[in-house]
Amino acid sequence: QVRLVEFGGGLVQAGGSLRLSCVDSGRTFSRNAMGWFRQAPGKERELVAAINRSGISTYYADAVKGRFTISRDGAKNTLHLQMNSLKPEDTAVYYCAASDIMRVVTRSSDYNYWGQGTQVTVSS
C-alpha cells in the first residue's frame, strides 16, 4: 500500500527557491518509480519531473530543465523536488505520484497512487 503526503509548498518571490518533499508511508517506495506533476488553474495536469526506482534515471519537462531537480531518499521513503529560479508561471498545485512500474514513467495514466497536492505560488 502506498500513501503519499506532500509538503514544502508556499509563497515565494520570482527567482527564489522551494523544496518540495513527498513521504511515502507505505512499504513499496523502493519498488516504485515516482513523479512530480503540477496543475495550474484552468490548465491540465502536467508532468514536471520523474525518477526511476533506483534514482539513476530522471526526466524533466522542458519548462523546468536546469531549474528543478528530482531526487529520492530510500532510507526515508521520501521524494524531493528542488525548485530554483522560480517563475510566476510555476505557480500551481504540485502533486507527488507513484507508479508500480520501475522505469521512468512519463504518462500520468501509468501512475497508480497520488498525493493530495501542495500549493506553490510564485509572485512577480
Side-chain angles (χ1 to χ4, degrees), residues 62-84:
D62 287 344
V64 306
K65 279 182 182 177
R67 300 188 298 123
F68 290 11
T69 303
I70 188 172
S71 62
R72 61 191 300 159
D73 183 342
K76 297 182 179 179
N77 283 7
T78 302
L79 180 73
H80 299 291
L81 184 69
Q82 179 65 43
M83 306 186 294
N84 298 328

Side-chain angles (χ1 to χ4, degrees), residues 19-91:
R19 189 192 196 202
L20 303 184
S21 296
C22 170
V23 177
D24 176 6
S25 60
R27 299 182 178 182
T28 63
F29 181 80
S30 64
R31 299 200 295 269
N32 297 118
M34 304 289 293
W36 286 100
F37 289 77
R38 68 185 181 187
Q39 187 167 21
K43 295 187 177 181
E44 293 188 355
R45 184 173 56 193
E46 62 177 354
L47 177 65
V48 174
I51 190 167
N52 72 337
R53 181 188 69 166
S54 68
I56 293 177
S57 298
T58 58
Y59 166 88
Y60 294 96
D62 287 344
V64 306
K65 279 182 182 177
R67 300 188 298 123
F68 290 11
T69 303
I70 188 172
S71 62
R72 61 191 300 159
D73 183 342
K76 297 182 179 179
N77 283 7
T78 302
L79 180 73
H80 299 291
L81 184 69
Q82 179 65 43
M83 306 186 294
N84 298 328
S85 302
L86 283 162
K87 304 175 181 180
E89 51 263 44
D90 294 319
T91 295

Side-chain angles (χ1 to χ4, degrees), residues 76-116:
K76 297 182 179 179
N77 283 7
T78 302
L79 180 73
H80 299 291
L81 184 69
Q82 179 65 43
M83 306 186 294
N84 298 328
S85 302
L86 283 162
K87 304 175 181 180
E89 51 263 44
D90 294 319
T91 295
V93 177
Y94 283 70
Y95 298 90
C96 168
S99 172
D100 289 332
I101 299 172
M102 295 184 291
R103 57 171 171 77
V104 170
V105 179
T106 58
R107 293 191 311 181
S108 61
S109 58
D110 287 332
Y111 284 88
N112 309 94
Y113 314 98
W114 295 83
Q116 82 289 349

